[in-house]
Every structure is written in structure tokens, then in C-alpha cells.
Amino acid sequence: MSIANIDHYIAGKIAAGTSGRAQDVYNPATGAVSGRTALANAAEVDKAVAAAQAAFPAWAETSPLRRARILFKFLELMNQHRDDLARLITAEHGKVFTDAQGEVTRGIEILEFATGIPQLLKGDFTEQVSTGMDNWTLRQPLGVVAGITPFNFPVMVPMWMFPVAIAAGNTFILKPSPIDPSPSLFMADLLKKAGLPDGVFNVVQGDKEAVDALLAHHDVKAVSFVGSTPIANYIYETGARNGKRVQALGGAKNHMVVMPDADLDQAVDGLIGAAYGSAGERCMAISVAVLVGDVADKIMPKLIERTKALKIKNGMELDAEMGPIVTGIAHQRITGYIEHGAKEGAKLLVDGRGFKGKAAGAGCDNGFWLGGTLFDHVTPEMKIYKEEIFGPVLSCVRVPDFATAVKLINDHEFGNGVSCYTRDGHVAREFSHRIQVGMVGINVPIPVPMAWHGFGGWKRSLFGDMHAYGEEGVRFYTKQKSVMQRWPESIGKGAEFAMPTSK
């Protein structure tokens, strides 16, 4: 079997790596090497930034409507090739094909939002702020901006960034995860076919060396990042120290509160899908069930049954509910957490370590397989409660009442997403009002906001002031300019030495 080379995309064409460094890309279902991606050095990053910088003046001067028309063509191509992209995601990430299709669809929704950029860039105008003087604001692009994106959503997360950025008149450099780099090149090709000028969108494959080069480069004006909290903190501090605008979305420990009045079958459906979908490798995955009052004894048998019955298969099988873990290293990390949880005294009701790859289908014996794992009687002091596992592990915490549930969640260092299952309108309102988390679902297990609302958590789940996509995304990728204007006929004679005021 031939191993495909996965290279960079600079100035409208594929650019072979010259650093001498590369990394294997795996099919997680089989464990086989499927490709080899280049890893950029600082010189290659410089070439990409130079291409983006050269393309910026003309692109910034292109009218918003003309930019939108290119995005409309890109939208058409994305819709035509959504299944091709989904297959690439499944092949390199391992998530089931239907989940990959959903990822592409959610990315397309941001693109649809970005095509409305002429409306989104409108400023404000005030006539006669002072005698004979008008004041207005406008938004202008920043220049070259970069996106550093994670392995778990190789299409959707980049599309949180680059459609809005380029629609607003910026040029863009994408640094995707080296674990699943192929979708980035596929999207670059579609942008080229849509008529995007060379250099407006570039892809630099790489690891920390490429990241550090982007963070240090003078011509990169802003950086968007999604990943773990330690890296998000590093990106934010380093980028800000180098004078860049930064939005860095970090980790999560998302809770679902199940109240005594909840529909338990619906709550179980929500927990199973949100905990084990995409093998738990989502920043919005539910990893903690907070069971209030007598709910635990009622719901636990249902959770055990459903966790054991998960259909774990090669992601291309259309009835698969969960695929493999993305890499062998990630598999080792997750199994280490399971071992630690058992040692700490949590009750291990379903142990996913017993799942064997041969049960997932032909050719899967050497894949990175793990079954769904379920813990009960988890306490806030335990490592499996405090830290983000990023795998198919659900921890159940028992609490006596609603107030304790809210305090438990608010005391956690992360504040990304949260859910509450209840029939009580007052409880729902109080939960939404009091919880210190950025994205809240009421009987919605994964409350990822729609394209026009924006995505972002609180506390150590977000470093920076602006959320991804939506109107805050437009603000992040533009700078406001205020213009005050008057004409000679309305200017009185004589110098004015006092602070100007409205007259």
C-alpha cells in the first residue's frame, strides 16, 4: 500500500515540505499508516505568511459583495463534496461517518453565516454630533490572521474561523492538526475552484515549531486556537506578548444535571450520545452526570445497559455509534485515567478496556479501540472528575439537591458547556441564570450555538475576550475605525484650546 504525502498549500498551490521533518498519519480503525504529513519549520511558515501578506491589499480592497460571491461558490462546492470530506474525516480521525457528516454540516452553517458579510460589516452613522459635524464607524480587516485547530474537528473548527476571516477581508493561514491533515488541503482546493485569489487561504502543516513561528511572526495580526487548556493558555500569553489579538478556546469538563422530575429515558439518550459520541473526543462532550436526589438509583441500570450495548465499529459502517480512539497515545492516556479512577475508589460499572478490535470488524484487530466506560460514586476530589479525559468515560456524581449541583459545577475550573434535564420551568430558569458556564442546554445535551450566536466558554475554557464565529467572530477579525467629519464652511474662526464638546 502506497503512503500518500500530505504537504502544505501556499499561494494557491501545493508546496512540498522542505524541513526534512514529517509525521505518520494513521487510520485509527486499523492502526495502519495511511499517509505522511510534512511538518513545517519557521522558513516555511515565513513563505506562507509572505504569500498571505502579498495577497492582503487586493483582497481587502475587494468589495464585501464580491468576496461573498466567492464564498457562495465555495458553499456550493462544499455541499457537493460534503460526503467526500466526511470520508476523509472518518479515515484519519476515526469518528463514525454519520457524525463526520454532521461535522461538515455544522461547518457549512458558519459558511452560510459568513456569506452575509455585507450586512455584518455595516457601521453606524450619527448626523450632527456637533454643529456641522458627523460621526460614523466602520470595520476594516486586520491583515494576515492564523487559525490553529485540533484533531477532533478537522473541518468544522477551521470553518469556525476562516470563512468569517476571509469574508471580512483578511488573508488566512490554517495550521491543522498533523493527526488528520488531509481535509485542510481538500478545502483549500475547493476554495481555489470557487475563485479565491491565490494567497488568501494557505495551509501550513506542522507541530509546535510551526505554531511558535506563527506566534512570533510580526505580520500575523491575530491568532485563533481551539485545543486543551494548557496549550490555550500558552497560545494566549505568547500571542498577546507578541502584540497579537488572540482567541484561544481551551478544555472542558461538561456536566449534565438530571433532576428528579426529568424524563429519565430522554436523559439516558442524552447522556449516552453526548458522552460516547465521537468516542468522547469533543470539547462539548458530557463527561459528568450529576444525579440529583433519588435519580441515581433509577437511572444507573439504564446507563449500564446502554453503555454495554454501544455499537462500536469501523466508522464507515453506517450503524456504528462509536468508532476508535484517534491515536495509540490517546488510547494509553484514557486507559490510564480509567485505572486511576478505579484506584481512587470510584465504582467502575462498565470497563471499556475489555473491548477488542476484532469485534469492530474485519481488519480492525490493530486499531485503537476502547469501549464505553461508566463510573459511579465519583467525588470532586478525584482526578477523573477534575481533569479533562477526552475519551469515552462518563463519571456519575450523586448530589442531594439542586443547590449542591449548581455549586459543584460553579466550583470547577472549566466552564465550557453544561446541561440540565428537568420539566420544571423555575428550575430551568434558575439553572440558566446561576450557572457559571458559557454554553447552557435545558434538555439539550450538547448546546453548541448556531452560526449567528457564537461559541465560547467561561473561566479556563476561554482565553481572550471574544467567542468564535457569530457577530463576535466578525468583531474579532476586524478593527473598528471612528471617523468625525466637518467641512470648511461650518468651521468657526480661531483656535480652540479647550477639550472639544458638542455644540
Side-chain angles (χ1 to χ4, degrees):
M1 178 181 176
S2 62
I3 302 300
N5 289 322
I6 303 166
D7 295 311
H8 314 300
Y9 183 87
I10 299 172
K13 60 184 179 181
I14 296 294
T18 59
S19 70
R21 297 189 310 124
Q23 177 174 316
D24 287 339
V25 177
Y26 293 86
N27 180 330
T30 65
V33 175
S34 60
R36 191 157 177 80
T37 184
L39 300 175
N41 58 21
E44 290 169 297
V45 170
D46 286 346
K47 289 180 182 178
V49 175
Q53 183 72 5
F56 173 66
W59 184 244
E61 289 298 315
T62 301
S63 73
L65 183 57
R66 289 176 58 199
R67 296 196 296 255
R69 285 172 179 159
I70 291 172
L71 289 183
F72 271 115
K73 181 61 178 176
F74 178 53
L75 172 61
E76 179 185 348
L77 293 171
M78 284 290 293
N79 278 316
Q80 289 175 8
H81 293 281
R82 66 171 68 209
D83 284 355
D84 298 320
L85 273 166
R87 279 187 282 270
L88 280 178
I89 294 168
T90 297
E92 293 184 349
H93 175 277
K95 68 176 63 176
V96 302
F97 181 67
T98 52
D99 187 24
Q101 288 176 309
E103 173 186 340
V104 176
T105 297
R106 290 307 298 261
I108 286 172
E109 289 170 359
I110 310 299
L111 175 56
E112 290 170 332
F113 169 79
T115 59
I117 201 67
Q119 168 71 16
L120 300 171
L121 290 179
K122 289 197 309 184
D124 298 315
F125 185 94
T126 303
E127 184 183 35
Q128 202 77 346
V129 293
S130 189
T131 303
M133 185 183 298
D134 305 322
N135 188 187
W136 68 90
T137 60
L138 49 89
R139 305 205 70 87
Q140 294 182 327
L142 304 176
V144 180
V145 300
I148 302 166
T149 57
F151 72 83
N152 59 328
F153 289 102
V155 170
M156 184 184 74
V157 171
M159 292 188 73
W160 286 2
M161 303 172 186
F162 75 79
V164 178
I166 65 177
N170 302 282
T171 52
F172 197 90
I173 298 171
L174 173 62
K175 204 300 291 179
S177 169
I179 292 172
D180 43 14
S182 295
S184 62
L185 297 182
F186 195 99
M187 291 188 290
D189 181 62
L190 295 186
L191 283 163
K192 173 90 169 182
K193 290 176 179 176
L196 191 71
D198 293 346
V200 175
F201 180 80
N202 307 273
V203 178
V204 174
Q205 312 289 0
D207 52 9
K208 187 176 185 297
E209 186 172 339
V211 169
D212 285 341
L214 287 168
L215 292 173
H217 204 294
H218 177 267
D219 289 332
V220 175
K221 302 304 181 185
V223 175
S224 300
F225 170 82
V226 175
S228 69
T229 283
I231 306 302
N233 196 7
Y234 172 78
I235 296 284
Y236 179 72
E237 291 181 351
T238 307
R241 186 168 61 248
N242 289 323
K244 304 189 190 314
R245 184 178 289 188
V246 183
Q247 59 176 188
L249 283 68
K253 197 70 178 179
N254 305 315
H255 300 67
M256 179 192 288
V257 176
V258 183
M259 295 297 294
D261 70 324
D263 184 309
L264 292 189
D265 289 333
Q266 291 180 359
V268 170
D269 285 343
L271 283 168
I272 293 295
Y276 303 124
S278 199
E281 295 171 329
R282 294 172 176 159
C283 66
M284 289 294 284
I286 293 294
S287 54
V288 180
V290 183
L291 308 176
V292 179
D294 62 354
V295 163
D297 291 334
K298 297 176 181 178
I299 203 173
M300 202 57 65
K302 297 174 182 286
L303 287 175
I304 293 170
E305 179 185 1
R306 292 286 295 279
T307 303
K308 289 180 176 179
L310 283 169
K311 295 178 182 177
I312 304 171
K313 297 183 177 183
N314 186 317
M316 289 310 299
E317 298 290 334
L318 294 183
D319 64 338
E321 295 174 335
M322 192 174 99
I325 304 303
V326 68
T327 65
I329 293 174
H331 187 280
Q332 292 173 13
R333 187 196 71 248
I334 298 163
T335 55
Y337 272 107
I338 296 170
E339 181 180 358
H340 201 92
K343 287 181 179 179
E344 284 186 307
K347 189 172 183 180
L348 183 55
L349 300 177
V350 183
D351 188 349
R353 293 174 296 179
F355 186 85
K356 303 301 180 184
K358 62 182 180 181
C364 294
D365 300 56
N366 297 318
F368 314 129
W369 294 95
L370 187 66
T373 295
L374 179 65
F375 280 104
D376 193 10
H377 297 286
V378 175
T379 62
E381 298 77 27
M382 294 179 179
K383 183 177 180 179
I384 60 169
Y385 174 79
K386 292 189 290 185
E387 298 183 11
E388 183 178 37
I389 299 173
F390 222 64
V393 180
L394 178 61
S395 298
C396 296
V397 179
R398 299 179 180 224
V399 298
D401 51 41
F402 175 72
T404 306
V406 170
K407 185 177 188 305
L408 177 80
I409 296 165
N410 287 349
D411 284 347
H412 205 285
E413 66 171 326
F414 295 128
N416 204 50
V418 71
S419 178
C420 180
Y421 270 62
T422 181
R423 286 188 174 95
D424 190 318
H426 176 71
V427 167
R429 186 184 186 281
E430 287 296 297
F431 185 81
S432 301
H433 177 65
R434 298 182 184 280
I435 211 71
Q436 295 174 19
V437 176
M439 292 170 284
V440 181
I442 303 299
N443 301 312
V444 175
I446 303 180
V448 177
M450 295 304 294
W452 49 95
H453 283 290
F455 181 104
W458 286 10
K459 297 185 281 189
R460 288 182 61 78
S461 293
L462 175 67
F463 297 83
D465 300 320
M466 298 182 194
H467 290 185
Y469 64 84
E471 292 186 5
E472 288 209 357
V474 176
R475 285 192 285 272
F476 179 79
Y477 290 120
T478 57
K479 51 196 173 186
Q480 179 178 292
K481 180 179 289 182
S482 177
V483 180
M484 298 189 76
Q485 175 180 281
R486 63 182 179 182
W487 299 99
E489 290 78 7
S490 62
I491 302 174
K493 293 183 179 180
E496 297 182 3
F497 297 97
M499 181 68 186
T501 59
S502 181
K503 299 177 181 177

